[in-house]
Amino acid sequence: MTVTNRVITPGMFIGKEGPDIISFGSGQPDLEPPFDIGDVLLNFNKFKYGKVGGEDELKSRLREYVKSEFGQGVEQDYIVVTNGASEALDLALRRISLRSDGSRVLLTKPYYYSYPELVKINHMVPVYTDANIDLEDVKEKSETADAMIINSPANPTGSTLEKDVLRAIQEITEDNSCVLISDEVYHSLTYETEHYSPKGENVVTINSFSKTYSLCGYRVGYVFSQDADFMAGILGIKAHSSMNTNLLSQKVALECLSVPKEHIMDNREIFRMRRDHIYRWIKELNLEIEKPGGAFYVLPKVGDSMKMAEDLFFDYNVITYPGEWFGAEGYLRLSFALPIEKIDEGMRRIKSYIDIL
Ligand SMILES: Cc1ncc(COP(=O)(O)O)c(C=O)c1O
């Protein structure tokens, strides 16, 4: 007897590829990194431990980058280079959890699926406010929260928060002595508005090379804030956990910072075209959808999203992520970080599935 296990999990899909698989799944750019990384590899011969907070040359360039891209002046010592934004988030949350066990962390819902898990791993409690921000609710809930995480442009909705809303959240959290963690990994992918980065004493900013420079597998990100004590705490934790971030990856990241801005803008145009293309497809399928203003995700309303994601994977070789994983039951997340021909093929398969429902 054959037992068919049709259960899907995020772990099954991250990095999964195959000749006939169309993946609208994991959020990583299909575009090449901006230069031939082989050249960097050939000439690299550092193999001893590096500085826990990151290599000086990279941090010095990051300081300039943070000034020009995020409009924030920050001391080089208050930047810590990490194994992707993932480690940066974990370190920031670990640092917050040292305040007291059971601290509350306010998340906007739908959320990036690792946020609640990271909060819980660090013995804290996630509390939620709608991603369609209600400032009164943020005010009330941040009074009893030690931290809040915001993510604009957002995963999984692709939505962006207006500058005045971000400013208001920054003021409210500051008044409530609540740390504001701003996850800006999609900062270079905004299609309608300029990116705005919250600033202030209570703000901890997180960024990554994964999405902007197509460098997901190299695992380089960073975290910075104006709070010396907070950053010293993060460094202390990293010294006893992962220690330095991979030196070769840091060298590649350093090279990325010299890439002309036009390259990033060109990539953004590619993603904008794909966004418009997949949006048209979803409209044709008569599914309810908000047009995303950033990142590379769409989140149409589909009904039984878990069953749909399972059926699409097992019967149509199409990977999609059910909204349940992001606190968005009834919705399906599709990443459009794949070429137009693949988007077309995947959407044709999804259409034939919907047609027989
Ligand atoms: C919102 C958000 N934050 C953080 C990450 C993790 O990024 P990194 O590859 O830099 O660890 C992701 C990856 O998909 C993400 O979508």
Side-chain angles (χ1 to χ4, degrees), residues 59-109:
K59 291 198 348 169
S60 159
R61 284 287 289 112
L62 275 175
R63 190 167 175 251
E64 292 163 21
Y65 181 86
V66 159
K67 181 85 194 148
S68 68
E69 286 295 309
F70 298 101
Q72 296 198 53
V74 64
E75 296 287 328
Q76 192 167 314
D77 283 349
Y78 302 171
I79 302 174
V80 172
V81 180
T82 55
N83 290 281
S86 304
E87 190 193 18
L89 282 162
D90 185 40
L91 288 170
L93 288 168
R94 284 195 207 195
R95 174 68 187 80
I96 287 155
S97 75
L98 295 179
R99 290 178 167 187
S100 64
D101 249 8
S103 294
R104 292 152 69 94
V105 179
L106 185 56
L107 306 176
T108 54
K109 191 174 174 181

Side-chain angles (χ1 to χ4, degrees), residues 1 19 26-27 94 104 114 119 121 127 197 225-226 309 319 328:
M1 191 179 76
S26 90
R94 284 195 207 195
R104 292 152 69 94
S114 295
V119 168
I121 286 169
V127 281
S197 184
S225 91
Q226 309 289 348
I319 298 176

Side-chain angles (χ1 to χ4, degrees), residues 281 316 341 343-353:
W281 258 111
Y316 292 79
E341 316 80 71
I343 293 180
D344 283 340
E345 174 56 23
M347 292 310 292
R348 276 195 288 273
R349 293 186 199 179
I350 293 178
K351 182 174 183 318
S352 56
Y353 171 74

Side-chain angles (χ1 to χ4, degrees), residues 155-254:
N155 177 2
T157 57
S159 59
T160 50
L161 291 173
E162 297 288 334
K163 186 172 173 176
D164 49 342
V165 173
L166 286 164
R167 276 200 172 141
I169 294 175
Q170 199 266 301
E171 273 167 31
I172 291 168
T173 50
E174 188 167 355
D175 288 349
N176 286 337
S177 306
C178 172
V179 176
L180 182 62
I181 300 175
S182 183
D183 177 349
E184 306 191 23
V185 299
Y186 299 105
H187 73 103
S188 60
L189 289 170
T190 53
Y191 308 119
E192 314 294 344
T193 47
E194 285 272 297
H195 176 70
Y196 176 75
S197 184
K199 304 160 184 61
E201 284 289 313
N202 66 321
V203 177
V204 174
T205 309
I206 281 167
N207 193 22
S208 167
F209 287 78
S210 292
K211 319 289 174 176
T212 308
Y213 297 102
S214 307
L215 225 57
C216 294
Y218 273 69
R219 314 302 305 125
V220 200
Y222 52 98
V223 49
F224 62 88
S225 91
Q226 309 289 348
D227 185 334
D229 188 50
F230 193 89
M231 293 314 297
I234 280 189
L235 202 61
I237 299 166
K238 190 166 161 60
H240 294 293
S241 48
S242 69
M243 309 205 286
N244 67 271
T245 298
N246 184 305
L247 293 180
L248 175 53
S249 297
Q250 290 191 58
K251 176 71 178 155
V252 175
L254 175 67

Side-chain angles (χ1 to χ4, degrees), residues 124-178:
M124 298 188 286
V125 182
V127 281
Y128 301 97
T129 188
D130 200 304
N132 214 340
I133 295 290
D134 169 355
L135 288 173
E136 279 309 310
D137 197 54
V138 172
K139 199 169 184 171
E140 194 186 313
K141 290 182 176 154
S142 63
E143 267 176 29
T144 52
D146 279 297
M148 174 175 187
I149 305 181
I150 49 166
N151 173 219
S152 174
N155 177 2
T157 57
S159 59
T160 50
L161 291 173
E162 297 288 334
K163 186 172 173 176
D164 49 342
V165 173
L166 286 164
R167 276 200 172 141
I169 294 175
Q170 199 266 301
E171 273 167 31
I172 291 168
T173 50
E174 188 167 355
D175 288 349
N176 286 337
S177 306
C178 172

Side-chain angles (χ1 to χ4, degrees), residues 199-346:
K199 304 160 184 61
E201 284 289 313
N202 66 321
V203 177
V204 174
T205 309
I206 281 167
N207 193 22
S208 167
F209 287 78
S210 292
K211 319 289 174 176
T212 308
Y213 297 102
S214 307
L215 225 57
C216 294
Y218 273 69
R219 314 302 305 125
V220 200
Y222 52 98
V223 49
F224 62 88
S225 91
Q226 309 289 348
D227 185 334
D229 188 50
F230 193 89
M231 293 314 297
I234 280 189
L235 202 61
I237 299 166
K238 190 166 161 60
H240 294 293
S241 48
S242 69
M243 309 205 286
N244 67 271
T245 298
N246 184 305
L247 293 180
L248 175 53
S249 297
Q250 290 191 58
K251 176 71 178 155
V252 175
L254 175 67
E255 298 298 322
C256 284
L257 294 179
S258 302
V259 166
K261 198 160 178 181
E262 292 73 55
H263 176 86
I264 310 298
M265 298 295 102
D266 290 349
N267 281 358
R268 182 169 75 174
E269 286 318 299
I270 294 173
F271 283 116
R272 184 203 301 278
M273 273 168 48
R274 292 171 177 184
R275 173 200 66 163
D276 294 343
H277 192 73
I278 200 165
Y279 179 76
R280 277 196 296 276
W281 258 111
I282 289 167
K283 282 297 215 190
E284 266 175 41
L285 297 181
N286 279 323
L287 297 174
E288 210 179 300
I289 182 176
E290 297 232 354
K291 195 170 191 177
F296 37 59
Y297 306 104
V298 281
L299 192 73
K301 193 171 182 178
V302 295
D304 190 345
S305 46
M306 188 57 91
K307 181 170 182 337
M308 185 161 173
E310 286 165 2
D311 290 347
L312 284 173
F313 178 58
F314 290 106
D315 304 331
Y316 292 79
N317 250 347
V318 174
I319 298 176
T320 57
Y321 282 10
E324 278 83 347
W325 293 350
F326 306 88
E329 203 173 317
Y331 293 79
L332 197 67
R333 193 197 79 168
L334 288 89
S335 154
F336 52 84
L338 69 173
I340 294 275
E341 316 80 71
K342 288 204 171 174
I343 293 180
D344 283 340
E345 174 56 23

